[in-house]
Amino acid sequence: MRYFAKLQGQKEAVPVDIESLGGTRYKLTLNERTYTVDALTLDHGAVSMLVDGTSYHVEFEENGDEVGVLVRGQVARVDVADERRLRLRAGSAAFSVEGKQVINAPMPGKVVKVLVKVGDEVKEGQGLVVVEAMKMENELKSPKAGKVVELLAKEGTAVENNAKLVVVE
């Protein structure tokens, strides 16, 4: 199966081919390099992986198409899509969002910075709130140009997954 993965901060997604070799073994091709992976899901949800003989303990947290990956104390945010999802995104790329937009916490974490206040005019893509989750800061951005009409995020507070933080109208 072919997927496209884009690390946070990268401009282009790279193709990743995954082929089952039976059981817990897979052949993974990334950037024209092939790896043999043996992946065993542990009771608590983490995955123990042997990649070409090197052992890794990996934890994943999915949020839609985005996956938080914790390996060796480092967190990476990866946007993952198959070919169908990529085509659907491309087909809807020209449309802009309308109406009230609610910005929710992408995962449990802590609000470390609030970048706007109620009544502020914001541009599409402008940072609204910074949430720290899995030892990584994530800036949540406005999906549209508009006005901040509701602000529930408060610096220093813990938030649950999908907690309502900001409303832009």
Side-chain angles (χ1 to χ4, degrees):
M1 178 86 165
R2 175 163 274 193
Y3 294 92
F4 294 87
K6 183 170 78 169
L7 283 170
Q8 186 174 29
Q10 283 185 332
K11 292 183 182 188
E12 298 280 326
V14 295
V16 179
D17 293 308
I18 301 173
E19 178 185 334
S20 176
L21 299 175
T24 60
R25 295 186 40 153
Y26 300 88
K27 180 171 93 172
L28 185 136
T29 305
L30 169 70
N31 291 330
E32 299 180 17
R33 287 194 58 199
T34 300
Y35 304 89
T36 302
V37 178
D38 194 342
L40 178 66
T41 302
L42 305 174
D43 289 339
H44 61 284
V47 178
S48 176
M49 288 188 180
L50 267 175
V51 180
D52 289 340
T54 303
S55 180
Y56 298 92
H57 177 87
V58 184
E59 294 185 34
F60 299 96
E61 183 163 290
E62 294 182 41
N63 185 21
D65 291 341
E66 192 174 85
V67 179
V69 182
L70 175 66
V71 181
R72 294 187 174 169
Q74 297 290 313
V75 175
R77 305 284 318 149
V78 184
D79 180 27
V80 180
D82 61 17
E83 291 180 84
R84 180 177 176 271
R85 170 79 63 191
L86 220 49
R87 283 194 303 273
L88 286 171
R89 286 181 185 173
S92 64
F95 299 101
S96 61
V97 294
E98 294 183 10
K100 186 186 294 187
Q101 296 297 309
V102 178
I103 293 77
N104 297 320
M107 61 182 67
K110 179 181 176 182
V111 176
V112 293
K113 196 176 282 184
V114 176
L115 305 170
V116 294
K117 58 187 180 308
V118 172
D120 282 357
E121 292 290 331
V122 295
K123 298 179 201 162
E124 181 178 342
Q126 180 178 334
L128 304 172
V129 177
V130 178
V131 176
E132 182 182 281
M134 294 173 51
K135 299 179 186 173
M136 185 170 168
E137 290 188 357
N138 299 289
E139 184 178 71
L140 306 180
K141 300 179 182 200
S142 180
K144 65 176 258 178
K147 185 179 193 175
V148 176
V149 295
E150 231 179 303
L151 181 63
L152 298 130
K154 291 184 176 66
E155 286 185 19
T157 60
V159 292
E160 294 296 320
N161 188 32
N162 288 324
K164 185 169 153 182
L165 301 175
V166 183
V167 177
V168 176
E169 204 167 70

